[in-house]
Amino acid sequence: MKSIRDGFVKFLGVGAISTTLLLGAIACQAPPSNGDRATETTDLPGAGISVQPGRSTVQGAHFQIIIINKALEQLGYTIKEAKELEPAPIFVAVGNADVDYIANAWEKIHTKYYENSGGDEKLIKAGVLVRDALQGYQIDKETAEKYNITSIEQLNDPEIAKLFDTDGNGKANLTGCNPGWGCESAIEHHLDAYGLRDFIDHDRGQYFALMADTITRYESGKPILFYTWTPMWVGSILKPGTDTIWLSVPYTDLPEVQGELSENETTVDGTNLGFAIDRIRIVANKEFAEKNPAARKLFEVVQIPIEDINAQNRLLRDGENTPEDVDRHANEWIANNQELFDSWIETAKQVE
């Protein structure tokens, strides 16, 4: 009988890849699978060294860090239980060496947190874990087509804004971003920059609880307006182009701390989303990285396709959301990308 794990592998579109053992087969001994294989650790670069990872409070970002932790274990490192913090304090923890590395650092939207935590003097950005991470505003496709809405600027028409009013005050309710995530400051900036403050209420709180209400509203046939990003499971339920559309902004205007961005840096398929087309990077404590060149090299070469993260996040949404489930998802991904996983280890081991 096929399991949900079979469905995960099928969803990812990857087949089984034959395993290449890093240290050679041990005679008459079958190696454990799924990234937890036994290795001789005494001559590995991480032997005797403990690593303190940090992770986001958003469960959808845990899958990636588990994969990285398993790769570090293959290099001989001992992994401590991850410290879970919001973006601002977790960057501070990395700068203060209370955390050795994190794997959910958005290059543009977390710029302020990076700089406020010591910047390049205390931290390093290593590699690019995920490319082309998107953010922006969406509405349901039915309302968009009925009222010919393509831009968030159109909500400065009170009649259009009322379509998305959920609390009866005449203003549109935008399902927005948690305080402290970084995205909330960009949304607040947009409300002023585009003259939307009097027409849109930015609903902030627990994003996923708010999105559950937004999805329920959509399923009952009511208009919806929300902020979202990729990689994340929302796009697998409210599919852009099928269920929703991305709204454009009139021009690129973001908080100064993100730097000066051109429209090309915020535009996808002809739609200016108003947010940087971002990259998710690993950020490590600089001293830790300098003392552990093998770990640093691993951080530089690890990449996980955004489609695979979306697929795993959908499993979370569908109920496979315990720590054991997420660990199993990571093991399944490794088993079905074993050649790639092994290449990371081999590259990191070759560093002097």
Side-chain angles (χ1 to χ4, degrees):
M1 181 174 65
K2 291 186 177 182
S3 68
I4 187 70
R5 298 191 297 275
D6 297 323
F8 177 43
V9 173
K10 183 177 179 182
F11 191 97
L12 295 183
V14 292
I17 300 175
S18 59
T19 302
T20 303
L21 293 179
L22 299 176
L23 303 177
I26 299 174
C28 302
Q29 180 179 348
S33 61
N34 298 332
D36 289 326
R37 295 167 299 161
T39 58
E40 296 290 339
T41 62
T42 55
D43 59 348
L44 292 177
I49 301 172
S50 295
V51 177
Q52 177 61 71
R55 71 182 186 187
S56 168
T57 57
V58 177
Q59 190 184 30
H62 295 180
F63 170 68
Q64 303 92 288
I65 202 166
I66 291 173
I67 291 172
I68 297 167
N69 285 343
K70 290 177 183 293
L72 286 168
E73 287 177 334
Q74 292 295 311
L75 292 170
Y77 291 97
T78 299
I79 308 301
K80 296 181 179 179
E81 183 177 354
K83 291 185 178 181
E84 189 168 296
L85 296 165
E86 295 288 357
I90 206 168
F91 274 87
V92 172
V94 178
N96 291 340
D98 295 325
V99 164
D100 293 320
Y101 88 97
I102 56 175
N104 193 45
W106 288 60
E107 188 167 41
K108 295 296 185 182
I109 209 158
H110 288 160
T111 297
K112 178 176 67 174
Y113 303 143
Y114 182 88
E115 293 180 350
N116 289 349
S117 301
D120 293 339
E121 291 185 6
K122 291 187 175 183
L123 310 168
I124 64 144
K125 298 175 184 176
V128 179
L129 183 64
V130 177
R131 298 183 183 276
D132 297 334
L134 304 182
Q135 305 171 76
Y137 307 109
Q138 293 186 15
I139 63 171
D140 61 287
K141 188 176 181 181
E142 182 178 349
T143 302
E145 292 179 344
K146 183 176 181 179
Y147 295 94
N148 194 29
I149 304 169
T150 59
S151 169
I152 196 164
E153 189 178 32
Q154 292 174 257
L155 273 72
N156 62 15
D157 178 341
E159 294 305 312
I160 296 296
K162 284 180 184 178
L163 297 172
F164 305 97
D165 178 13
T166 64
D167 58 13
N169 70 352
K171 298 169 68 175
N173 289 89
L174 166 68
T175 299
C177 194
N178 286 30
W181 279 7
C183 40
E184 87 288 349
S185 61
I187 295 171
E188 288 295 302
H189 183 90
H190 284 164
L191 293 180
D192 291 327
Y194 306 140
L196 295 169
R197 180 70 63 184
D198 294 334
F199 304 96
I200 296 177
D201 280 336
H202 179 193
D203 292 344
R204 289 169 285 180
Q206 292 300 314
Y207 177 82
F208 295 106
L210 292 171
M211 276 309 304
D213 291 341
T214 300
I215 291 169
T216 298
R217 183 175 173 84
Y218 172 79
E219 290 172 342
S220 67
K222 297 176 182 177
I224 56 172
L225 167 67
F226 61 99
Y227 160 87
T228 191
W229 70 91
T230 66
M232 207 257 290
W233 57 261
V234 167
S236 66
I237 295 176
L238 299 174
K239 299 180 178 63
T242 302
D243 304 307
T244 64
I245 68 159
W246 290 99
L247 292 179
S248 67
V249 298
Y251 50 87
T252 300
D253 194 327
L254 285 161
E256 185 177 350
V257 70
Q258 292 193 35
E260 197 163 325
L261 299 174
S262 69
E263 286 199 12
N264 288 338
E265 295 174 286
T266 60
T267 299
V268 176
D269 296 332
T271 299
N272 187 343
L273 301 179
F275 293 83
I277 303 167
D278 220 333
R279 304 192 299 177
I280 301 175
R281 307 191 66 175
I282 296 172
V283 165
N285 176 269
K286 188 173 184 178
E287 184 177 355
F288 170 82
E290 290 175 346
K291 290 181 177 179
N292 292 276
R296 180 172 184 166
K297 176 56 68 173
L298 176 71
F299 296 157
E300 290 172 353
V301 299
V302 170
Q303 289 190 25
I304 301 175
I306 197 168
E307 297 84 1
D308 294 5
I309 299 172
N310 283 335
Q312 189 273 337
N313 278 203
R314 178 60 190 262
L315 293 181
L316 296 178
R317 165 69 183 179
D318 290 345
E320 292 193 34
N321 54 19
T322 67
E324 293 76 18
D325 287 330
V326 180
D327 189 72
R328 188 180 69 250
H329 299 161
N331 282 335
E332 290 170 348
W333 187 91
I334 292 168
N336 287 282
N337 294 273
Q338 194 73 61
E339 186 175 342
L340 174 63
F341 182 83
D342 289 347
S343 74
W344 301 340
I345 310 303
E346 194 60 35
T347 299
K349 285 170 60 182
Q350 291 173 3
V351 175
E352 295 295 334

